[in-house]
Amino acid sequence: MDRYVICGGERLSGQVKISGAKNAVLPILAGTLMTKNAVLKNVPNLSDVAYTVEILENLGMNITRENDKMNIINSGIVNTVLPTELCSKMRSSILFMGGMLASAGEVTIPYPGGCSLGNRPIDIHLKAVEKMGVEIAESSNGIYCKVRSLQGTKIKLPFPSVGATENIMLAGVLAKGETTISNCAIEPEIVDLAKFLNSIGAKISGAGTDTIVIKGVNELGGCCHRVIPDRIEAGTFMIAVAGAGGNVKIQDVIPEQLRPVISKLKEADVEVKEDENSVTVCSDGFIANTDIKTMPYPGFPTDMQAQFMGLMCGGLGTGIINETVFENRFMQVPEFIKMGADITIEGRCAVVKGVEKMKGAKVRATDLRAGAGLVITGLRAEGVTEITDIHYIDRGYENFDGKLRGIGADIIRINEQAVQ
């Protein structure tokens, strides 16, 4: 099992380029099940992407990759049972439901895996596709779904679930008639999926608002699509610079999508300058703690909560983090406490009292974003920090340690098998 070793205290400077968005490319890859061929650009090199490609190949897709460009040829679906081992590694495997139902008419999906962030029910997905004419049977091995007649309908989500919105979009593009999704997610990744689907011949309007309308078509073609930059990766680097101190230009971003993070960093007395496709963060490493409340977009992202907590551990004063999206997203707290943090959990709130100095320690990543938060804390801590279970971090950050070294961080990745 690989681990990171970080020597804290180095200021960061220079430029860093942000990769394509994990949360955008995964549903787009699921959408390629309905294409004849597709070329995707700005595809990040992540373990979740690799697992998704393996699943697609298992279903009969032909996929080649060169750097960040991926060529996908669909010669026909040859299998409708998703591989259990691969699906157990990633939550987003549920996104194959919509694409498979539209393209093959049936699918068997093992219960999805991924990070353990608490209750993330898939009932909302199942009820939606049932309303569109899908029969569902559940067992201990997974979920079998079969289309009776895929029909457009009106679906009002009980909450703006990103995954459910994406699954309904994927199923709706080839459904008969019109599908309307109300109270849907409005994240930038939803907009990017709609752009991809429209480029292959779908008729989707309203993406980015709380109501999406999909007019079903008979067939879809091919396209070339560039994936949007990863706003969570960008925010992670912004917070890393704020905590470690320094001056870094973060390139290939869409500043408007970073507005909640920019706003909170400015509240914390961090200087952030915006350009057309970049942001520059300048910090002396001393930040004033503030309060955050995670919310669906355009609120503060739950995927940035652990990173901001890591920043606040060494801040000035007390800040309160209110986690409203996932009930089990404070698993990083015991690891932060090993490094000297003063954090108290009160239900869905974490009270963070900044300490003068964080200290390096041996800690473990408990999930993807918690791992990134530990890296941020290690960059500013005194001494050496070792982070294990970094396979979680590989799910969402491309060449994380390499990019950090490129701006001055003292971080190395140690392969345990190579050591042995």
Side-chain angles (χ1 to χ4, degrees), residues 316-360:
L316 303 174
T318 299
I320 297 174
I321 298 174
N322 185 1
E323 174 58 62
T324 73
V325 180
F326 294 124
E327 79 278 10
N328 195 24
R329 205 156 198 179
F330 289 144
M331 292 191 297
Q332 71 272 12
V333 170
E335 306 305 306
F336 283 143
I337 290 174
K338 291 177 186 177
M339 301 178 73
D342 185 347
I343 305 172
T344 304
I345 304 298
E346 299 177 0
R348 282 200 167 195
C349 290
V351 180
V352 185
K353 296 180 181 179
V355 299
E356 185 176 352
K357 292 180 181 179
M358 296 289 286
K359 296 183 178 180

Side-chain angles (χ1 to χ4, degrees), residues 71-339:
N71 292 284
I72 302 170
I73 298 174
N74 184 355
S75 300
I77 307 301
V78 299
N79 183 17
T80 61
V81 179
L82 303 189
T84 300
E85 183 180 356
L86 291 171
C87 291
S88 67
K89 296 178 180 179
M90 50 187 294
R91 182 71 187 181
S92 57
S93 58
I94 191 65
L95 295 176
F96 283 97
M97 179 186 292
M100 284 294 290
L101 290 173
S103 60
E106 65 177 323
V107 65
T108 300
I109 304 178
Y111 292 107
C115 294
S116 301
L117 303 178
N119 187 27
R120 303 167 82 179
I122 60 174
D123 286 356
I124 186 172
H125 300 248
L126 303 180
K127 289 178 181 178
V129 295
E130 272 187 316
K131 196 172 181 183
M132 297 176 75
V134 176
E135 295 178 346
I136 295 172
E138 293 191 61
S139 71
S140 59
N141 296 322
I143 308 160
Y144 173 69
C145 308
K146 183 175 178 61
V147 171
R148 294 193 308 271
S149 177
L150 203 57
Q151 299 282 346
T153 186
K154 292 183 178 180
I155 299 172
K156 183 175 182 179
L157 297 178
F159 62 93
S161 162
V162 173
T165 301
E166 291 167 341
N167 249 334
I168 299 166
M169 290 170 66
L170 291 166
V173 293
L174 289 175
K176 295 178 181 178
E178 185 173 281
T179 301
T180 301
I181 319 170
S182 58
N183 194 35
C184 62
I186 64 173
E187 271 75 357
E189 295 78 15
I190 297 289
V191 177
D192 204 35
L193 176 60
K195 287 181 178 178
F196 165 76
L197 292 172
N198 283 338
S199 70
I200 60 175
K203 295 182 178 179
I204 301 172
S205 60
T209 74
D210 63 1
T211 302
I212 293 175
V213 178
I214 308 156
K215 294 182 179 179
V217 298
N218 292 325
E219 63 177 356
L220 299 166
C223 74
C224 180
H225 178 80
R226 181 176 179 84
V227 178
I228 59 171
D230 196 315
R231 60 192 172 99
I232 305 302
E233 183 194 10
T236 299
F237 275 98
M238 293 169 68
I239 292 174
V241 179
N247 189 316
V248 175
K249 185 175 185 179
I250 299 159
Q251 298 177 303
D252 288 357
V253 303
I254 302 174
E256 183 58 34
Q257 297 177 0
L258 299 170
R259 191 69 54 215
V261 178
I262 292 172
S263 175
K264 285 300 175 183
L265 285 176
K266 287 183 175 180
E267 281 184 25
D269 295 334
V270 177
E271 182 181 347
V272 183
K273 298 178 182 178
E274 301 177 41
D275 290 315
E276 184 177 355
N277 61 356
S278 68
V279 292
T280 300
V281 177
C282 183
S283 171
D284 59 8
F286 295 95
I287 68 115
N289 279 344
T290 185
D291 298 336
I292 65 171
K293 181 180 182 179
T294 64
M295 296 287 287
Y297 189 86
F300 191 91
T302 182
D303 278 355
M304 291 301 309
Q305 178 256 102
Q307 299 91 310
F308 213 89
M309 179 182 285
L311 177 66
M312 291 169 62
C313 286
L316 303 174
T318 299
I320 297 174
I321 298 174
N322 185 1
E323 174 58 62
T324 73
V325 180
F326 294 124
E327 79 278 10
N328 195 24
R329 205 156 198 179
F330 289 144
M331 292 191 297
Q332 71 272 12
V333 170
E335 306 305 306
F336 283 143
I337 290 174
K338 291 177 186 177
M339 301 178 73

